[in-house]
Amino acid sequence: YITGEYGGGAFVLVYLACILAVGVPVMMAEIAFGRRGRGSPIEAIANLAREAGARPLWKVFGWIAMLAGFMILSFYVVVAGWSFSYLWKMASGALSGHSVAELGAIFEAGNANPWALGGWATLVTVVTMLIVGRGVQEGVEKSVRWMMPGMVIMLLIMIGYALTSGNFSAGFHFLFDFDVTRLSSEGVLAALGHAFFTLSLASGAILTYGSYLPSGTSIARTTFTVAIADTLVALMAGLAIFPIIF
């Protein structure tokens, strides 16, 4: 949506530049903080401040990161609830044979029903709690091990569908042709913000990830691996969506 709003290929190029120039260094710093502090954002920053002889008030930044993570989670359980809702509607045939306007009305009707919206969000919350409650290795790692490949396979299927059923050429050119006249200062700022958003920076997530990173692991290699994988998935999503739109 943001790529479509702010100029297509021009936005993508600035976004990639922001990932490289800002996102990667910030991610390296967060991973380093987490690995050195060995704890949650609050504990890690408090440990580092104590080690450096700095004031304990530095841990306030850890609390801010935790608050940001909580706010992001509160947003995402609703969006993930939409996905569960759409999966049910798709399986029951409720999405087939409708016009764009009718599909928009289905979405709006779902959002207008607080019980349905809250119910799906609650389901996502419970599933998340069950996974996270099992711990990093037994819960998060085991689920991500099949969820992430599954997502990539679904994206590849959607790209194949876009290639055969959509205007793939128009979507490809929109996504990768650099037209500077379509880029605004607001678009540049959005690209910077999106770089932070897609890499989960400044929310405590990467800092926590770093706290579990073994001492001998290369921070640079880990950072570039995550940044490249994240960016490839984003571009794949664009190749799946824009040809269908065109």
Side-chain angles (χ1 to χ4, degrees):
Y1 155 71
I2 295 175
T3 302
E5 190 78 12
Y6 291 111
F11 174 86
V12 170
L13 188 60
V14 175
Y15 164 70
L16 294 177
C18 290
I19 289 282
L20 185 62
V22 181
V24 166
V26 171
M27 178 177 277
M28 284 184 181
E30 282 205 50
I31 292 175
F33 268 96
R35 191 166 73 175
R36 183 78 177 202
R38 294 296 185 193
S40 69
I42 299 167
E43 293 170 338
I45 293 176
N47 291 340
L48 289 170
R50 193 181 306 113
E51 182 182 306
R55 299 179 67 184
L57 281 174
W58 276 98
K59 68 180 180 182
V60 169
F61 289 100
W63 281 103
I64 292 172
M66 295 293 285
L67 178 61
F70 174 76
M71 290 164 63
I72 292 169
L73 177 64
S74 301
F75 162 80
Y76 261 126
V77 293
V78 178
V79 176
W82 292 346
S83 298
F84 274 62
S85 172
Y86 267 78
L87 184 64
W88 172 259
K89 289 182 173 70
M90 181 188 69
S92 62
L95 298 180
S96 60
H98 291 291
S99 66
V100 173
E102 289 170 336
L103 288 171
I106 290 173
F107 176 71
E108 291 173 1
N111 281 348
N113 185 340
W115 290 104
L117 200 63
W120 289 114
T122 300
L123 175 62
V124 172
T125 303
V126 171
V127 171
T128 302
M129 290 171 63
L130 290 174
I131 293 173
V132 175
R134 293 177 62 85
V136 174
Q137 291 183 320
E138 291 299 313
V140 177
E141 187 176 318
K142 278 190 175 180
S143 60
V144 167
R145 191 171 290 170
W146 62 267
M147 282 183 178
M148 295 306 291
M151 183 189 69
V152 173
I153 290 169
M154 285 192 288
L155 274 175
L156 288 172
I157 293 171
M158 291 171 67
I159 291 172
Y161 179 78
L163 187 63
T164 57
S165 303
N167 190 338
F168 195 84
S169 177
F172 183 88
H173 285 293
F174 177 79
L175 199 57
F176 295 108
D177 285 356
F178 181 74
D179 183 1
V180 71
T181 60
R182 302 189 63 178
L183 190 65
S184 63
S185 58
E186 186 181 351
V188 172
L189 187 62
L192 178 60
H194 201 57
F196 272 75
F197 183 76
T198 56
L199 292 177
S200 301
L201 302 177
S203 63
I206 300 301
L207 197 150
T208 304
Y209 169 75
S211 70
Y212 287 94
L213 202 66
S215 299
T217 304
S218 169
I219 291 177
R221 189 182 298 114
T222 299
T223 301
F224 277 104
T225 300
V226 172
I228 290 170
D230 174 81
T231 304
L232 285 176
V233 168
L235 295 176
M236 288 171 66
L239 289 174
I241 293 168
F242 284 111
I244 300 299
I245 293 174
F246 279 102

